Amino acid sequence: APAMAERLGLGRAALPEEISAWDVAVLPDGQGLRPGSGDVATGEEVFAANCAMCHGEFAEGLDAWPVLAGGDGTLRDMRPVKTIGSYWPHLSTVYDYIHRSMPFGAAQTLSVDETYAITAFLLYSNGLVEEDFVLSDKNFTEIQLPNADGFYPDDRAESEYPLFSAAACMTDCLPEQKITKRAVELNVTPTDPDGKPAGTLPDLHAAAAVAPAS
Amino acid sequence: MNNDEPETGTSRRGFLRQTALAGAGLVAGTSAARAEGADPLITEVQPWATEFGDPVDAVPYGMPIRFEQHVVRRNVEWLTESPVSSINFTPIHALEGTITPQGCAFERHHSGAIELSKADYRLMINGLVERPLVFTFEDLLRFPRTSVTAFCECAANGGMEWGGAQLEGCQFTQGMIHNMEYVGVPLRVLLEEAGVKPEGKWLYAEGADASSNGRSMPMEKALDDVMLAFYANGEALRKEHGYPARLVVPGWEGNMWVKWVRRLGVYDRAVESREETSKYTDLMPDGRARKWTWVMDAKSVITSPSPQAPIRHGKGPLVITGLAWSGNGKITKVDVSMDGGRNWVEARITGEAKAKALTRFHLDIDWDGSELMLQSRATDETGYVQPTKDALRAIRGRNNVYHNNGIQTWWVRADGEVENVEIA
C-alpha cells in the first residue's frame, strides 16, 4: 500500500447506490456479476430488437459492422476473423461491454437479465452452447471461451529489446535498396482538388495570388 | 503610390510569374538569387503598410490566419465503420517544434466527443480502498498540482502500414499523435485520499462517455507518473480531448489516456475489458496474441520533406526536419539516411529531449537534385534503436495491428515530389 501521506480531507464518502450505479465492471473470475439469468431464446428476441440491425440476425455482422460470431481457427490466416468465439478470452468481457456500451448510440438501456440473455444467444451463435441453454450468475464462470489461453503479457523486453539495442550501423550497412511498395499505387488517400494528398502545403510561387478566402 | 486593390493584385500576379522563372533559374544552379528587376512588393507601398489592420477586439479567441487552412485535422473515412468510433490525424507535416496546437491535435473517440460541464462532472474512487470517495471538479482544483509534457500516441498509429505502403503523407501514416504540456493532479495523491488497500494491485479507469473506454493498469504505474489532467498547453482541455479531466499516462498507448474520466476502481486483478482483450491486443504469427503492450517504443519520422511537403525550391540548401519520441525515456540520438539505410548521418536535436515527449530533430543538407531515399532512426536512453518494418515483421508477422514503430522511407524524386514507399 502507498505510504499514507497527510490526507487533505477533500471529497465525500461514495454512497452504496452511487457505487452500484457506476461500478458495473465484471472481471474474468465473475467479480461484479449481479443476480439474474437469461436463455438463448429470449436473447434471440432481444438481439433481434436491439442488435441485429448492425450485427445481423445471427451475429454474423452486416455491411462493415463488427462480426460477433464465426472465424474459428483463422488466427494464423492471412486475414484473421477475430470474433467473440474465435478470439475473445473471457465471457465476462462480453457481458460487461454489452451491458455498459451497447447498443451503439443507446448504451445502458439493457437490464441485467436482458444482458444475460444476449450473452447466452451470442454463445449459441458461436456454437458454444445448445439452444436451450440458460446463463445466470450461478453458472457464468463455468463457461470457458475457445481462445481463453490465446494471450500472453507483453514480452518485448525479452523478444525484441535485446535485438534492437545493439550499436547501430552507420556506414555501408546494406546493399543498394530498391522500391518494393508505393502508396500511390493504392491511391486511397484523401486528396486536394489538384489531386495531391489532402493538406499538401500550398505552392508559395502561386499561393499569394490564389489564397482562398475563408 | 498605387494602393488601388485590383491593380496591385495584377502587378503582384505578374511578379509571381517572374519569380516562378527565377525559381527555375535556381534549379539550374544559381545559388545566390539575383533580382531580375525591382520587386513591386518592396518598391510599391502595400495596403498593409499604409492602412489599418484589425482592431484588438475583432477576435476574442483567434484562429490561424486563412493562409494556413491546410493545417487542420483530417480523417480517412474508409478506415472505420462510424465517424463516432473513429480517428482523425494531426497535420504533423506542417508543424515545427514539439508542442501540438490543441485545435488540430488528433481525436480518437469510441462513442463521440461528449460535452461534460465542470458542474456536472463527478469522479468516483471505489473498490479496494479504505474510503470510497466522490469528488466534484471544485474539489479536484484544491489538490496539489504537477505538470508534465508528454506525447499521446494512438496504439494504432501507422497500423495501416503494417502490410505495405498505403497512405500518402506523414499526417496519415504517423499523425495519430499529439504532444502537450499538462497540468493536473497525480493519481497518487487522489488514491492516497481514498487509501488503497494492500490487495489493490490494479487500477481500472473508465470515462463518462457511452463507450466508457475502461482500461486496467498496474498500481505501480498509477502511483508513479499517471496524472488526472485539467489543463493542456495552458488552458482547459478541449471537449474532444476529455474536458474537463483526462488521464495522462506518459509513454503508454493512447487508448489508456482515458478521457472524461469518471471512475477509478481498485481491484485485485485486471478487469480484462473489451479495450484490452478484443482491442489493443497484438496478434502474432503463431495465432496467439500479446496483451498489455502498454509502452510505445522509440520512433521517428521525417515530417519534411514528405508527401504533403514536396521540395519546390530547387537544388541547394534543404532543411530535413522531423520528430522522434520514445515511451521508454528520452531520445538520445536521431540518425538520418539519404540512401535507404545504407549510410547514416547523425541529426541534431533542436530544443530539449524530454522523457516520453516529442523531440524535434533537424539535418541541413545541400540537395543536388538527385533522388533520395530518406529515413530517420531514433535511439532512446535505454540504447534501443528504432527497427525497420522488416525487422518488426520478422518477429511479429503482419497482423499485429498496433505498435508499428518501423522506420519510414520517403522516396524524394528528382522533381521534388515525395512518396511513401517500402524498399528492400
Side-chain angles (χ1 to χ4, degrees):
Chain A
M4 285 308 268
E6 321 146 47
R7 287 172 50 210
L8 295 172
L10 292 168
R12 60 153 176 91
L15 302 176
E17 55 267 43
E18 293 172 330
I19 295 173
S20 172
W22 272 13
D23 184 353
V24 292
V26 180
L27 281 64
D29 60 7
Q31 286 185 63
L33 284 173
R34 298 179 187 205
S37 67
D39 58 25
V40 172
T42 307
E44 185 168 14
E45 286 173 29
V46 182
F47 196 87
N50 295 280
C51 320
M53 64 284 274
C54 294
H55 295 293
E57 265 183 79
F58 309 101
E60 78 283 14
L62 296 183
D63 303 323
W65 295 103
V67 179
L68 306 183
D72 310 351
T74 65
L75 298 182
R76 291 160 66 175
D77 291 1
M78 278 278 280
R79 294 183 186 280
V81 179
K82 298 190 284 185
T83 70
I84 292 168
S86 71
Y87 190 64
W88 290 33
H90 308 297
L91 193 63
S92 55
T93 315
V94 179
Y95 182 99
D96 172 272
Y97 180 67
I98 292 171
H99 187 223
R100 186 195 344 247
S101 299
M102 286 288 146
F104 195 49
Q108 303 196 74
T109 55
L110 296 167
S111 70
V112 167
D113 285 344
E114 283 173 330
T115 310
Y116 278 114
I118 290 178
T119 307
F121 173 69
L122 287 171
L123 286 170
Y124 174 72
S125 307
N126 277 283
L128 299 173
V129 297
E130 301 300 321
E131 60 188 321
D132 58 355
F133 179 72
V134 184
L135 181 68
S136 74
D137 56 304
K138 303 288 188 300
N139 67 358
F140 193 95
T141 55
E142 291 164 21
I143 304 289
Q144 178 94 321
L145 293 185
N147 200 39
D149 298 323
F151 299 80
Y152 56 97
D154 188 359
D155 70 340
R156 284 175 291 174
E158 297 81 46
S159 62
E160 296 186 5
Y161 295 170
L163 270 176
F164 298 150
S165 299
C169 172
M170 293 299 286
T171 44
D172 296 326
C173 303
L174 298 167
E176 187 162 350
Q177 300 289 291
K178 292 212 162 47
I179 290 167
T180 54
K181 293 257 170 53
R182 293 173 67 192
V184 288
E185 285 172 359
L186 289 175
N187 194 23
V188 292
T189 306
T191 52
D192 285 336
D194 63 1
K196 304 265 194 234
T200 293
L201 303 187
D203 184 345
L204 298 184
H205 297 300
V210 299
S214 51
Chain B
M1 182 161 86
N2 182 2
N3 286 332
D4 187 52
E5 185 59 56
E7 266 188 64
T8 308
T10 307
S11 77
R12 203 177 308 154
R13 271 194 293 278
F15 168 72
L16 286 161
R17 261 180 239 114
Q18 282 180 3
T19 4
L21 291 173
L26 263 181
V27 175
T30 326
S31 58
R34 210 183 163 79
E36 313 226 327
D39 183 348
L41 282 165
I42 299 170
T43 57
E44 295 175 13
V45 175
Q46 300 300 311
W48 54 82
T50 180
E51 298 162 10
F52 291 133
D54 296 334
V56 291
D57 51 359
V59 187
Y61 198 115
M63 292 285 286
I65 193 167
R66 62 191 169 99
F67 308 119
E68 295 297 313
Q69 63 185 237
H70 54 287
V71 190
V72 292
R73 297 188 276 235
R74 292 183 187 275
N75 77 340
V76 177
E77 279 179 31
W78 56 265
L79 284 174
T80 52
E81 68 277 14
S82 163
V84 292
S85 180
S86 193
I87 188 84
N88 63 22
F89 300 90
T90 304
I92 56 170
H93 66 294
L95 302 177
E96 257 290 353
T98 60
I99 294 295
T100 313
Q102 294 194 78
C104 64
F106 88 103
E107 304 168 59
R108 202 296 187 235
H109 319 299
H110 293 83
S111 51
I114 61 165
E115 189 172 274
L116 177 58
S117 73
K118 289 176 180 173
D120 290 343
Y121 181 83
R122 296 290 183 276
L123 176 70
M124 180 183 291
I125 299 181
N126 79 308
L128 297 169
V129 293
E130 302 294 341
R131 296 165 295 279
L133 294 173
V134 170
F135 297 106
T136 62
F137 196 79
E138 192 174 40
D139 294 331
L140 297 177
L141 289 174
R142 300 170 68 187
F143 282 95
R145 294 178 201 174
T146 184
S147 82
V148 68
T149 300
F151 70 80
C152 174
E153 183 184 18
C154 179
N157 199 18
M160 314 75 81
E161 303 287 306
W162 267 119
Q166 184 155 219
L167 289 165
E168 197 67 346
C170 65
Q171 175 167 22
F172 304 107
T173 55
Q174 278 87 7
M176 298 179 191
I177 195 164
H178 58 60
N179 191 67
M180 303 190 191
E181 182 199 14
Y182 295 98
V183 172
V185 175
L187 283 198
R188 183 178 56 250
V189 174
L190 298 172
L191 290 166
E192 277 167 2
E193 206 67 16
V196 175
K197 293 180 176 174
E199 61 270 33
K201 302 295 187 199
W202 289 80
L203 187 74
Y204 181 72
E206 63 181 1
D209 62 315
S211 83
S212 103
N213 199 54
R215 285 294 305 255
S216 309
M217 72 175 72
M219 191 57 73
E220 297 76 48
K221 178 69 174 176
L223 297 177
D224 177 19
D225 61 356
V226 180
M227 177 198 285
L228 183 69
F230 317 130
Y231 302 91
N233 291 351
E235 61 183 352
L237 297 166
R238 295 291 170 99
K239 173 178 83 172
E240 61 272 28
H241 296 142
Y243 181 95
R246 81 173 308 164
L247 290 192
V248 165
V249 191
W252 287 23
E253 61 188 11
N255 180 255
M256 306 182 77
W257 293 47
V258 179
K259 299 186 285 192
W260 315 290
V261 192
R262 79 168 194 187
R263 187 174 73 88
L264 304 171
V266 178
Y267 301 94
D268 59 353
R269 60 173 296 169
V271 170
E272 306 218 37
S273 67
R274 187 252 195 179
E275 303 289 326
E276 54 197 357
T277 54
S278 170
K279 307 298 178 188
Y280 306 98
T281 53
D282 317 344
L283 191 59
M284 299 290 282
D286 67 357
R288 295 188 306 150
R290 288 174 176 162
K291 64 177 178 180
W292 302 341
T293 47
W294 297 312
V295 174
M296 302 305 291
D297 289 329
K299 185 167 176 179
S300 68
V301 64
I302 292 171
T303 53
S304 178
S306 66
Q308 297 157 290
I311 306 170
R312 297 193 177 105
H313 56 53
K315 299 177 191 180
L318 172 68
V319 173
I320 295 172
T321 181
L323 290 166
W325 62 96
S326 171
N328 282 307
K330 293 180 184 175
I331 291 294
T332 52
K333 182 163 104 97
V334 182
D335 300 318
V336 170
S337 174
M338 281 162 274
D339 57 6
R342 300 181 71 194
N343 296 284
W344 296 85
V345 186
E346 187 172 344
R348 73 178 188 282
I349 286 169
T350 306
E352 196 183 343
K354 294 179 181 164
K356 306 173 188 178
L358 289 190
T359 302
R360 178 63 57 175
F361 68 88
H362 289 106
L363 181 71
D364 302 295
I365 68 164
D366 183 1
W367 186 45
D368 65 3
S370 59
E371 289 185 12
L372 306 174
M373 287 184 191
L374 283 181
Q375 297 185 337
S376 63
R377 182 179 69 185
T379 301
D380 71 24
E381 63 182 326
T382 70
Y384 176 100
V385 181
Q386 183 184 0
T388 62
K389 271 208 256 181
D390 281 336
L392 288 170
R393 289 190 293 227
I395 297 167
R396 304 188 199 169
R398 287 174 180 260
N399 287 315
N400 224 227
V401 179
Y402 305 104
H403 292 282
N404 177 6
N405 65 320
I407 289 174
Q408 172 72 53
T409 308
W410 302 133
W411 175 34
V412 178
R413 300 177 349 203
D415 61 3
E417 295 294 327
V418 182
E419 289 191 22
N420 174 16
V421 297
E422 284 195 6
I423 57 176

PDB file of all heavy atoms in Angstrom, chain B residues 352-371:
ATOM      1  N   GLU B 352      14.894  20.705 -26.315  1.00  0.00           N
ATOM      2  CA  GLU B 352      15.187  19.739 -25.263  1.00  0.00           C
ATOM      3  C   GLU B 352      14.600  18.375 -25.618  1.00  0.00           C
ATOM      4  O   GLU B 352      13.513  18.298 -26.196  1.00  0.00           O
ATOM      5  CB  GLU B 352      14.540  20.258 -23.967  1.00  0.00           C
ATOM      6  CG  GLU B 352      15.060  19.588 -22.709  1.00  0.00           C
ATOM      7  CD  GLU B 352      14.337  20.087 -21.454  1.00  0.00           C
ATOM      8  OE1 GLU B 352      13.688  21.148 -21.526  1.00  0.00           O
ATOM      9  OE2 GLU B 352      14.425  19.398 -20.431  1.00  0.00           O
ATOM     10  N   ALA B 353      15.346  17.310 -25.275  1.00  0.00           N
ATOM     11  CA  ALA B 353      14.794  15.959 -25.420  1.00  0.00           C
ATOM     12  C   ALA B 353      14.227  15.552 -24.065  1.00  0.00           C
ATOM     13  O   ALA B 353      14.955  15.112 -23.186  1.00  0.00           O
ATOM     14  CB  ALA B 353      15.870  14.986 -25.870  1.00  0.00           C
ATOM     15  N   LYS B 354      12.918  15.748 -23.884  1.00  0.00           N
ATOM     16  CA  LYS B 354      12.281  15.385 -22.612  1.00  0.00           C
ATOM     17  C   LYS B 354      11.842  13.931 -22.654  1.00  0.00           C
ATOM     18  O   LYS B 354      11.481  13.407 -23.714  1.00  0.00           O
ATOM     19  CB  LYS B 354      11.045  16.261 -22.367  1.00  0.00           C
ATOM     20  CG  LYS B 354      11.372  17.730 -22.163  1.00  0.00           C
ATOM     21  CD  LYS B 354      10.090  18.537 -21.952  1.00  0.00           C
ATOM     22  CE  LYS B 354      10.433  20.003 -21.768  1.00  0.00           C
ATOM     23  NZ  LYS B 354       9.259  20.869 -21.928  1.00  0.00           N
ATOM     24  N   ALA B 355      11.834  13.303 -21.485  1.00  0.00           N
ATOM     25  CA  ALA B 355      11.422  11.899 -21.410  1.00  0.00           C
ATOM     26  C   ALA B 355       9.970  11.748 -21.859  1.00  0.00           C
ATOM     27  O   ALA B 355       9.100  12.527 -21.475  1.00  0.00           O
ATOM     28  CB  ALA B 355      11.578  11.387 -19.983  1.00  0.00           C
ATOM     29  N   LYS B 356       9.718  10.743 -22.707  1.00  0.00           N
ATOM     30  CA  LYS B 356       8.359  10.377 -23.115  1.00  0.00           C
ATOM     31  C   LYS B 356       7.616  11.560 -23.741  1.00  0.00           C
ATOM     32  O   LYS B 356       6.415  11.745 -23.510  1.00  0.00           O
ATOM     33  CB  LYS B 356       7.574   9.811 -21.918  1.00  0.00           C
ATOM     34  CG  LYS B 356       8.311   8.643 -21.241  1.00  0.00           C
ATOM     35  CD  LYS B 356       7.652   8.188 -19.970  1.00  0.00           C
ATOM     36  CE  LYS B 356       8.554   7.169 -19.268  1.00  0.00           C
ATOM     37  NZ  LYS B 356       8.000   6.703 -17.991  1.00  0.00           N
ATOM     38  N   ALA B 357       8.368  12.372 -24.491  1.00  0.00           N
ATOM     39  CA  ALA B 357       7.776  13.553 -25.145  1.00  0.00           C
ATOM     40  C   ALA B 357       8.325  13.664 -26.563  1.00  0.00           C
ATOM     41  O   ALA B 357       9.415  13.155 -26.863  1.00  0.00           O
ATOM     42  CB  ALA B 357       8.108  14.820 -24.357  1.00  0.00           C
ATOM     43  N   LEU B 358       7.569  14.345 -27.422  1.00  0.00           N
ATOM     44  CA  LEU B 358       8.059  14.567 -28.782  1.00  0.00           C
ATOM     45  C   LEU B 358       9.337  15.400 -28.735  1.00  0.00           C
ATOM     46  O   LEU B 358       9.483  16.302 -27.908  1.00  0.00           O
ATOM     47  CB  LEU B 358       7.015  15.287 -29.638  1.00  0.00           C
ATOM     48  CG  LEU B 358       5.779  14.497 -30.058  1.00  0.00           C
ATOM     49  CD1 LEU B 358       4.977  15.278 -31.104  1.00  0.00           C
ATOM     50  CD2 LEU B 358       6.128  13.114 -30.589  1.00  0.00           C
ATOM     51  N   THR B 359      10.250  15.066 -29.640  1.00  0.00           N
ATOM     52  CA  THR B 359      11.573  15.685 -29.692  1.00  0.00           C
ATOM     53  C   THR B 359      11.833  16.058 -31.148  1.00  0.00           C
ATOM     54  O   THR B 359      11.617  15.241 -32.044  1.00  0.00           O
ATOM     55  CB  THR B 359      12.631  14.679 -29.190  1.00  0.00           C
ATOM     56  OG1 THR B 359      12.280  14.293 -27.847  1.00  0.00           O
ATOM     57  CG2 THR B 359      14.020  15.281 -29.204  1.00  0.00           C
ATOM     58  N   ARG B 360      12.267  17.296 -31.387  1.00  0.00           N
ATOM     59  CA  ARG B 360      12.482  17.758 -32.759  1.00  0.00           C
ATOM     60  C   ARG B 360      13.922  17.518 -33.180  1.00  0.00           C
ATOM     61  O   ARG B 360      14.845  17.762 -32.401  1.00  0.00           O
ATOM     62  CB  ARG B 360      12.139  19.256 -32.845  1.00  0.00           C
ATOM     63  CG  ARG B 360      12.365  19.891 -34.208  1.00  0.00           C
ATOM     64  CD  ARG B 360      11.519  19.324 -35.327  1.00  0.00           C
ATOM     65  NE  ARG B 360      10.085  19.404 -35.076  1.00  0.00           N
ATOM     66  CZ  ARG B 360       9.162  19.055 -35.975  1.00  0.00           C
ATOM     67  NH1 ARG B 360       9.512  18.613 -37.175  1.00  0.00           N
ATOM     68  NH2 ARG B 360       7.879  19.126 -35.671  1.00  0.00           N
ATOM     69  N   PHE B 361      14.117  17.025 -34.407  1.00  0.00           N
ATOM     70  CA  PHE B 361      15.468  16.920 -34.952  1.00  0.00           C
ATOM     71  C   PHE B 361      15.544  17.610 -36.302  1.00  0.00           C
ATOM     72  O   PHE B 361      14.529  17.771 -36.993  1.00  0.00           O
ATOM     73  CB  PHE B 361      15.920  15.455 -35.064  1.00  0.00           C
ATOM     74  CG  PHE B 361      15.177  14.641 -36.094  1.00  0.00           C
ATOM     75  CD1 PHE B 361      15.587  14.598 -37.419  1.00  0.00           C
ATOM     76  CD2 PHE B 361      14.057  13.891 -35.727  1.00  0.00           C
ATOM     77  CE1 PHE B 361      14.904  13.835 -38.366  1.00  0.00           C
ATOM     78  CE2 PHE B 361      13.364  13.133 -36.677  1.00  0.00           C
ATOM     79  CZ  PHE B 361      13.787  13.107 -37.993  1.00  0.00           C
ATOM     80  N   HIS B 362      16.741  18.048 -36.654  1.00  0.00           N
ATOM     81  CA  HIS B 362      16.993  18.702 -37.946  1.00  0.00           C
ATOM     82  C   HIS B 362      18.292  18.185 -38.547  1.00  0.00           C
ATOM     83  O   HIS B 362      19.233  17.842 -37.817  1.00  0.00           O
ATOM     84  CB  HIS B 362      17.122  20.223 -37.787  1.00  0.00           C
ATOM     85  CG  HIS B 362      15.827  20.920 -37.478  1.00  0.00           C
ATOM     86  ND1 HIS B 362      15.523  21.417 -36.235  1.00  0.00           N
ATOM     87  CD2 HIS B 362      14.751  21.206 -38.269  1.00  0.00           C
ATOM     88  CE1 HIS B 362      14.324  21.982 -36.268  1.00  0.00           C
ATOM     89  NE2 HIS B 362      13.829  21.869 -37.486  1.00  0.00           N
ATOM     90  N   LEU B 363      18.331  18.157 -39.842  1.00  0.00           N
ATOM     91  CA  LEU B 363      19.579  17.953 -40.576  1.00  0.00           C
ATOM     92  C   LEU B 363      19.509  18.856 -41.812  1.00  0.00           C
ATOM     93  O   LEU B 363      18.540  18.807 -42.562  1.00  0.00           O
ATOM     94  CB  LEU B 363      19.738  16.483 -41.006  1.00  0.00           C
ATOM     95  CG  LEU B 363      21.036  16.182 -41.755  1.00  0.00           C
ATOM     96  CD1 LEU B 363      22.237  16.244 -40.811  1.00  0.00           C
ATOM     97  CD2 LEU B 363      20.976  14.794 -42.415  1.00  0.00           C
ATOM     98  N   ASP B 364      20.536  19.706 -41.950  1.00  0.00           N
ATOM     99  CA  ASP B 364      20.558  20.634 -43.083  1.00  0.00           C
ATOM    100  C   ASP B 364      21.499  20.081 -44.142  1.00  0.00           C
ATOM    101  O   ASP B 364      22.652  19.773 -43.836  1.00  0.00           O
ATOM    102  CB  ASP B 364      21.026  22.008 -42.600  1.00  0.00           C
ATOM    103  CG  ASP B 364      20.119  22.532 -41.495  1.00  0.00           C
ATOM    104  OD1 ASP B 364      18.942  22.784 -41.791  1.00  0.00           O
ATOM    105  OD2 ASP B 364      20.576  22.626 -40.336  1.00  0.00           O
ATOM    106  N   ILE B 365      20.994  19.936 -45.345  1.00  0.00           N
ATOM    107  CA  ILE B 365      21.831  19.382 -46.414  1.00  0.00           C
ATOM    108  C   ILE B 365      21.832  20.315 -47.620  1.00  0.00           C
ATOM    109  O   ILE B 365      21.022  21.240 -47.714  1.00  0.00           O
ATOM    110  CB  ILE B 365      21.360  17.964 -46.848  1.00  0.00           C
ATOM    111  CG1 ILE B 365      19.996  18.024 -47.543  1.00  0.00           C
ATOM    112  CG2 ILE B 365      21.323  17.030 -45.644  1.00  0.00           C
ATOM    113  CD1 ILE B 365      19.662  16.768 -48.325  1.00  0.00           C
ATOM    114  N   ASP B 366      22.750  20.017 -48.529  1.00  0.00           N
ATOM    115  CA  ASP B 366      22.824  20.727 -49.804  1.00  0.00           C
ATOM    116  C   ASP B 366      22.334  19.733 -50.854  1.00  0.00           C
ATOM    117  O   ASP B 366      23.071  18.828 -51.253  1.00  0.00           O
ATOM    118  CB  ASP B 366      24.284  21.153 -50.046  1.00  0.00           C
ATOM    119  CG  ASP B 366      24.435  21.954 -51.329  1.00  0.00           C
ATOM    120  OD1 ASP B 366      23.420  22.202 -52.022  1.00  0.00           O
ATOM    121  OD2 ASP B 366      25.584  22.321 -51.653  1.00  0.00           O
ATOM    122  N   TRP B 367      21.091  19.885 -51.267  1.00  0.00           N
ATOM    123  CA  TRP B 367      20.480  18.898 -52.174  1.00  0.00           C
ATOM    124  C   TRP B 367      20.958  19.148 -53.602  1.00  0.00           C
ATOM    125  O   TRP B 367      20.817  20.264 -54.120  1.00  0.00           O
ATOM    126  CB  TRP B 367      18.955  18.984 -52.085  1.00  0.00           C
ATOM    127  CG  TRP B 367      18.256  17.915 -52.886  1.00  0.00           C
ATOM    128  CD1 TRP B 367      18.562  16.596 -52.928  1.00  0.00           C
ATOM    129  CD2 TRP B 367      17.117  18.090 -53.755  1.00  0.00           C
ATOM    130  NE1 TRP B 367      17.696  15.921 -53.756  1.00  0.00           N
ATOM    131  CE2 TRP B 367      16.803  16.813 -54.280  1.00  0.00           C
ATOM    132  CE3 TRP B 367      16.330  19.185 -54.131  1.00  0.00           C
ATOM    133  CZ2 TRP B 367      15.742  16.605 -55.169  1.00  0.00           C
ATOM    134  CZ3 TRP B 367      15.276  18.982 -55.012  1.00  0.00           C
ATOM    135  CH2 TRP B 367      14.984  17.703 -55.526  1.00  0.00           C
ATOM    136  N   ASP B 368      21.493  18.100 -54.223  1.00  0.00           N
ATOM    137  CA  ASP B 368      21.999  18.258 -55.588  1.00  0.00           C
ATOM    138  C   ASP B 368      20.934  17.921 -56.638  1.00  0.00           C
ATOM    139  O   ASP B 368      21.241  17.855 -57.831  1.00  0.00           O
ATOM    140  CB  ASP B 368      23.253  17.394 -55.784  1.00  0.00           C
ATOM    141  CG  ASP B 368      22.964  15.907 -55.674  1.00  0.00           C
ATOM    142  OD1 ASP B 368      21.776  15.523 -55.508  1.00  0.00           O
ATOM    143  OD2 ASP B 368      23.924  15.106 -55.730  1.00  0.00           O
ATOM    144  N   GLY B 369      19.724  17.684 -56.194  1.00  0.00           N
ATOM    145  CA  GLY B 369      18.645  17.427 -57.143  1.00  0.00           C
ATOM    146  C   GLY B 369      18.481  15.967 -57.507  1.00  0.00           C
ATOM    147  O   GLY B 369      17.613  15.632 -58.314  1.00  0.00           O
ATOM    148  N   SER B 370      19.280  15.098 -56.910  1.00  0.00           N
ATOM    149  CA  SER B 370      19.138  13.675 -57.242  1.00  0.00           C
ATOM    150  C   SER B 370      18.123  13.011 -56.318  1.00  0.00           C
ATOM    151  O   SER B 370      17.745  13.553 -55.283  1.00  0.00           O
ATOM    152  CB  SER B 370      20.496  12.975 -57.146  1.00  0.00           C
ATOM    153  OG  SER B 370      21.024  13.112 -55.852  1.00  0.00           O
ATOM    154  N   GLU B 371      17.668  11.822 -56.715  1.00  0.00           N
ATOM    155  CA  GLU B 371      16.698  11.080 -55.911  1.00  0.00           C
ATOM    156  C   GLU B 371      17.289  10.729 -54.559  1.00  0.00           C
ATOM    157  O   GLU B 371      18.477  10.437 -54.445  1.00  0.00           O
ATOM    158  CB  GLU B 371      16.326   9.770 -56.619  1.00  0.00           C
ATOM    159  CG  GLU B 371      15.476   9.970 -57.840  1.00  0.00           C
ATOM    160  CD  GLU B 371      15.047   8.621 -58.426  1.00  0.00           C
ATOM    161  OE1 GLU B 371      15.230   7.586 -57.736  1.00  0.00           O
ATOM    162  OE2 GLU B 371      14.535   8.623 -59.545  1.00  0.00           O
TER     163      GLU B 371
END
